[in-house]
PDB file of all heavy atoms in Angstrom:
ATOM      1  N   TYR D 115     -21.731  -6.036  -5.364  1.00 96.00           N
ATOM      2  CA  TYR D 115     -20.792  -5.183  -6.106  1.00 96.00           C
ATOM      3  C   TYR D 115     -21.113  -5.237  -7.600  1.00 96.00           C
ATOM      4  O   TYR D 115     -21.106  -4.206  -8.284  1.00 96.00           O
ATOM      5  CB  TYR D 115     -19.360  -5.632  -5.821  1.00 96.00           C
ATOM      6  CG  TYR D 115     -18.284  -4.847  -6.537  1.00 96.00           C
ATOM      7  CD1 TYR D 115     -18.394  -3.481  -6.749  1.00 96.00           C
ATOM      8  CD2 TYR D 115     -17.139  -5.485  -6.991  1.00 96.00           C
ATOM      9  CE1 TYR D 115     -17.402  -2.770  -7.392  1.00 96.00           C
ATOM     10  CE2 TYR D 115     -16.135  -4.780  -7.631  1.00 96.00           C
ATOM     11  CZ  TYR D 115     -16.268  -3.429  -7.838  1.00 96.00           C
ATOM     12  OH  TYR D 115     -15.295  -2.727  -8.481  1.00 96.00           O
ATOM     13  N   GLY D 116     -21.433  -6.416  -8.125  1.00 95.00           N
ATOM     14  CA  GLY D 116     -21.820  -6.535  -9.523  1.00 95.00           C
ATOM     15  C   GLY D 116     -23.102  -5.780  -9.822  1.00 95.00           C
ATOM     16  O   GLY D 116     -23.225  -5.114 -10.862  1.00 95.00           O
ATOM     17  N   ILE D 117     -24.063  -5.858  -8.917  1.00 96.00           N
ATOM     18  CA  ILE D 117     -25.327  -5.133  -9.093  1.00 96.00           C
ATOM     19  C   ILE D 117     -25.074  -3.627  -9.045  1.00 96.00           C
ATOM     20  O   ILE D 117     -25.628  -2.864  -9.840  1.00 96.00           O
ATOM     21  CB  ILE D 117     -26.345  -5.573  -8.012  1.00 96.00           C
ATOM     22  CG1 ILE D 117     -26.716  -7.041  -8.209  1.00 96.00           C
ATOM     23  CG2 ILE D 117     -27.596  -4.695  -8.042  1.00 96.00           C
ATOM     24  CD1 ILE D 117     -27.465  -7.653  -7.042  1.00 96.00           C
ATOM     25  N   TYR D 118     -24.212  -3.198  -8.127  1.00 95.00           N
ATOM     26  CA  TYR D 118     -23.830  -1.783  -8.034  1.00 95.00           C
ATOM     27  C   TYR D 118     -23.189  -1.324  -9.340  1.00 95.00           C
ATOM     28  O   TYR D 118     -23.503  -0.241  -9.849  1.00 95.00           O
ATOM     29  CB  TYR D 118     -22.878  -1.605  -6.850  1.00 95.00           C
ATOM     30  CG  TYR D 118     -22.237  -0.251  -6.732  1.00 95.00           C
ATOM     31  CD1 TYR D 118     -22.945   0.844  -6.232  1.00 95.00           C
ATOM     32  CD2 TYR D 118     -20.898  -0.058  -7.083  1.00 95.00           C
ATOM     33  CE1 TYR D 118     -22.346   2.084  -6.098  1.00 95.00           C
ATOM     34  CE2 TYR D 118     -20.303   1.177  -6.956  1.00 95.00           C
ATOM     35  CZ  TYR D 118     -21.024   2.241  -6.466  1.00 95.00           C
ATOM     36  OH  TYR D 118     -20.425   3.475  -6.339  1.00 95.00           O
ATOM     37  N   SER D 119     -22.329  -2.148  -9.893  1.00 94.00           N
ATOM     38  CA  SER D 119     -21.689  -1.801 -11.169  1.00 94.00           C
ATOM     39  C   SER D 119     -22.723  -1.667 -12.274  1.00 94.00           C
ATOM     40  O   SER D 119     -22.643  -0.747 -13.093  1.00 94.00           O
ATOM     41  CB  SER D 119     -20.669  -2.867 -11.561  1.00 94.00           C
ATOM     42  OG  SER D 119     -19.636  -2.928 -10.621  1.00 94.00           O
ATOM     43  N   ASP D 120     -23.690  -2.574 -12.300  1.00 93.00           N
ATOM     44  CA  ASP D 120     -24.701  -2.552 -13.354  1.00 93.00           C
ATOM     45  C   ASP D 120     -25.698  -1.405 -13.209  1.00 93.00           C
ATOM     46  O   ASP D 120     -26.082  -0.791 -14.197  1.00 93.00           O
ATOM     47  CB  ASP D 120     -25.480  -3.870 -13.382  1.00 93.00           C
ATOM     48  CG  ASP D 120     -24.670  -5.011 -13.970  1.00 93.00           C
ATOM     49  OD1 ASP D 120     -23.619  -4.737 -14.582  1.00 93.00           O
ATOM     50  OD2 ASP D 120     -25.092  -6.171 -13.819  1.00 93.00           O
ATOM     51  N   TYR D 121     -26.153  -1.122 -11.982  1.00 91.00           N
ATOM     52  CA  TYR D 121     -27.234  -0.162 -11.806  1.00 91.00           C
ATOM     53  C   TYR D 121     -26.797   1.225 -11.367  1.00 91.00           C
ATOM     54  O   TYR D 121     -27.562   2.169 -11.522  1.00 91.00           O
ATOM     55  CB  TYR D 121     -28.281  -0.714 -10.830  1.00 91.00           C
ATOM     56  CG  TYR D 121     -29.104  -1.773 -11.490  1.00 91.00           C
ATOM     57  CD1 TYR D 121     -28.770  -3.114 -11.355  1.00 91.00           C
ATOM     58  CD2 TYR D 121     -30.177  -1.439 -12.298  1.00 91.00           C
ATOM     59  CE1 TYR D 121     -29.507  -4.098 -11.987  1.00 91.00           C
ATOM     60  CE2 TYR D 121     -30.912  -2.412 -12.942  1.00 91.00           C
ATOM     61  CZ  TYR D 121     -30.573  -3.739 -12.784  1.00 91.00           C
ATOM     62  OH  TYR D 121     -31.291  -4.703 -13.424  1.00 91.00           O
ATOM     63  N   ALA D 122     -25.616   1.378 -10.849  1.00 91.00           N
ATOM     64  CA  ALA D 122     -25.162   2.712 -10.467  1.00 91.00           C
ATOM     65  C   ALA D 122     -24.065   3.203 -11.421  1.00 91.00           C
ATOM     66  O   ALA D 122     -24.206   4.239 -12.052  1.00 91.00           O
ATOM     67  CB  ALA D 122     -24.649   2.714  -9.031  1.00 91.00           C
ATOM     68  N   LEU D 123     -23.003   2.440 -11.539  1.00 91.00           N
ATOM     69  CA  LEU D 123     -21.864   2.912 -12.316  1.00 91.00           C
ATOM     70  C   LEU D 123     -22.145   3.004 -13.814  1.00 91.00           C
ATOM     71  O   LEU D 123     -21.548   3.833 -14.502  1.00 91.00           O
ATOM     72  CB  LEU D 123     -20.649   2.014 -12.064  1.00 91.00           C
ATOM     73  CG  LEU D 123     -20.168   1.973 -10.614  1.00 91.00           C
ATOM     74  CD1 LEU D 123     -18.951   1.076 -10.491  1.00 91.00           C
ATOM     75  CD2 LEU D 123     -19.875   3.368 -10.090  1.00 91.00           C
ATOM     76  N   LYS D 124     -23.041   2.176 -14.324  1.00 90.00           N
ATOM     77  CA  LYS D 124     -23.377   2.229 -15.751  1.00 90.00           C
ATOM     78  C   LYS D 124     -24.507   3.207 -16.054  1.00 90.00           C
ATOM     79  O   LYS D 124     -24.877   3.391 -17.197  1.00 90.00           O
ATOM     80  CB  LYS D 124     -23.748   0.837 -16.262  1.00 90.00           C
ATOM     81  CG  LYS D 124     -22.575  -0.119 -16.273  1.00 90.00           C
ATOM     82  CD  LYS D 124     -22.990  -1.484 -16.770  1.00 90.00           C
ATOM     83  CE  LYS D 124     -21.853  -2.473 -16.703  1.00 90.00           C
ATOM     84  NZ  LYS D 124     -22.278  -3.826 -17.110  1.00 90.00           N
ATOM     85  N   ASN D 125     -25.057   3.814 -15.011  1.00 88.00           N
ATOM     86  CA  ASN D 125     -26.133   4.787 -15.174  1.00 88.00           C
ATOM     87  C   ASN D 125     -25.509   6.140 -15.534  1.00 88.00           C
ATOM     88  O   ASN D 125     -24.736   6.698 -14.753  1.00 88.00           O
ATOM     89  CB  ASN D 125     -26.925   4.903 -13.869  1.00 88.00           C
ATOM     90  CG  ASN D 125     -28.053   5.891 -13.943  1.00 88.00           C
ATOM     91  OD1 ASN D 125     -28.181   6.673 -14.882  1.00 88.00           O
ATOM     92  ND2 ASN D 125     -28.894   5.875 -12.922  1.00 88.00           N
ATOM     93  N   PRO D 126     -25.833   6.694 -16.684  1.00 90.00           N
ATOM     94  CA  PRO D 126     -25.200   7.960 -17.084  1.00 90.00           C
ATOM     95  C   PRO D 126     -25.588   9.138 -16.190  1.00 90.00           C
ATOM     96  O   PRO D 126     -24.904  10.159 -16.190  1.00 90.00           O
ATOM     97  CB  PRO D 126     -25.700   8.173 -18.519  1.00 90.00           C
ATOM     98  CG  PRO D 126     -26.922   7.340 -18.646  1.00 90.00           C
ATOM     99  CD  PRO D 126     -26.763   6.193 -17.697  1.00 90.00           C
ATOM    100  N   PHE D 127     -26.655   9.007 -15.408  1.00 89.00           N
ATOM    101  CA  PHE D 127     -27.079  10.092 -14.538  1.00 89.00           C
ATOM    102  C   PHE D 127     -26.537   9.972 -13.113  1.00 89.00           C
ATOM    103  O   PHE D 127     -26.737  10.857 -12.297  1.00 89.00           O
ATOM    104  CB  PHE D 127     -28.608  10.173 -14.509  1.00 89.00           C
ATOM    105  CG  PHE D 127     -29.190  10.400 -15.868  1.00 89.00           C
ATOM    106  CD1 PHE D 127     -29.842   9.370 -16.538  1.00 89.00           C
ATOM    107  CD2 PHE D 127     -29.066  11.631 -16.497  1.00 89.00           C
ATOM    108  CE1 PHE D 127     -30.362   9.568 -17.790  1.00 89.00           C
ATOM    109  CE2 PHE D 127     -29.579  11.841 -17.758  1.00 89.00           C
ATOM    110  CZ  PHE D 127     -30.236  10.809 -18.418  1.00 89.00           C
ATOM    111  N   TYR D 128     -25.859   8.854 -12.822  1.00 90.00           N
ATOM    112  CA  TYR D 128     -25.306   8.662 -11.476  1.00 90.00           C
ATOM    113  C   TYR D 128     -23.967   9.375 -11.377  1.00 90.00           C
ATOM    114  O   TYR D 128     -23.119   9.262 -12.253  1.00 90.00           O
ATOM    115  CB  TYR D 128     -25.129   7.171 -11.169  1.00 90.00           C
ATOM    116  CG  TYR D 128     -24.486   6.922  -9.828  1.00 90.00           C
ATOM    117  CD1 TYR D 128     -25.172   7.174  -8.655  1.00 90.00           C
ATOM    118  CD2 TYR D 128     -23.171   6.471  -9.734  1.00 90.00           C
ATOM    119  CE1 TYR D 128     -24.589   6.966  -7.422  1.00 90.00           C
ATOM    120  CE2 TYR D 128     -22.581   6.258  -8.508  1.00 90.00           C
ATOM    121  CZ  TYR D 128     -23.290   6.510  -7.361  1.00 90.00           C
ATOM    122  OH  TYR D 128     -22.691   6.319  -6.133  1.00 90.00           O
ATOM    123  N   GLU D 129     -23.776  10.114 -10.293  1.00 90.00           N
ATOM    124  CA  GLU D 129     -22.502  10.782 -10.032  1.00 90.00           C
ATOM    125  C   GLU D 129     -21.757   9.987  -8.978  1.00 90.00           C
ATOM    126  O   GLU D 129     -22.324   9.630  -7.940  1.00 90.00           O
ATOM    127  CB  GLU D 129     -22.738  12.204  -9.548  1.00 90.00           C
ATOM    128  CG  GLU D 129     -23.354  13.091 -10.603  1.00 90.00           C
ATOM    129  CD  GLU D 129     -23.523  14.519 -10.126  1.00 90.00           C
ATOM    130  OE1 GLU D 129     -22.667  14.990  -9.350  1.00 90.00           O
ATOM    131  OE2 GLU D 129     -24.504  15.144 -10.530  1.00 90.00           O
ATOM    132  N   LEU D 130     -20.476   9.713  -9.243  1.00 88.00           N
ATOM    133  CA  LEU D 130     -19.669   8.943  -8.295  1.00 88.00           C
ATOM    134  C   LEU D 130     -19.680   9.580  -6.920  1.00 88.00           C
ATOM    135  O   LEU D 130     -19.732  10.803  -6.787  1.00 88.00           O
ATOM    136  CB  LEU D 130     -18.233   8.831  -8.800  1.00 88.00           C
ATOM    137  CG  LEU D 130     -18.028   7.899  -9.984  1.00 88.00           C
ATOM    138  CD1 LEU D 130     -16.587   7.975 -10.462  1.00 88.00           C
ATOM    139  CD2 LEU D 130     -18.384   6.477  -9.615  1.00 88.00           C
ATOM    140  N   GLU D 131     -19.614   8.734  -5.922  1.00 88.00           N
ATOM    141  CA  GLU D 131     -19.564   9.133  -4.515  1.00 88.00           C
ATOM    142  C   GLU D 131     -20.880   9.699  -3.986  1.00 88.00           C
ATOM    143  O   GLU D 131     -20.946  10.141  -2.854  1.00 88.00           O
ATOM    144  CB  GLU D 131     -18.434  10.151  -4.253  1.00 88.00           C
ATOM    145  CG  GLU D 131     -17.076   9.739  -4.770  1.00 88.00           C
ATOM    146  CD  GLU D 131     -16.551   8.468  -4.133  1.00 88.00           C
ATOM    147  OE1 GLU D 131     -16.680   8.314  -2.910  1.00 88.00           O
ATOM    148  OE2 GLU D 131     -16.028   7.631  -4.882  1.00 88.00           O
ATOM    149  N   MET D 132     -21.921   9.698  -4.791  1.00 92.00           N
ATOM    150  CA  MET D 132     -23.221  10.198  -4.354  1.00 92.00           C
ATOM    151  C   MET D 132     -24.111   9.022  -3.940  1.00 92.00           C
ATOM    152  O   MET D 132     -23.867   7.887  -4.339  1.00 92.00           O
ATOM    153  CB  MET D 132     -23.893  11.005  -5.480  1.00 92.00           C
ATOM    154  CG  MET D 132     -23.113  12.259  -5.868  1.00 92.00           C
ATOM    155  SD  MET D 132     -22.816  13.383  -4.494  1.00 92.00           S
ATOM    156  CE  MET D 132     -24.460  13.905  -4.120  1.00 92.00           C
TER     157      MET D 132
END
Side-chain angles (χ1 to χ4, degrees):
Y115 179 37
I117 295 167
Y118 172 77
S119 297
D120 286 347
Y121 285 95
L123 299 181
K124 292 179 184 177
N125 180 349
F127 301 107
Y128 177 71
E129 294 183 34
L130 287 175
E131 309 298 317
M132 297 303 294

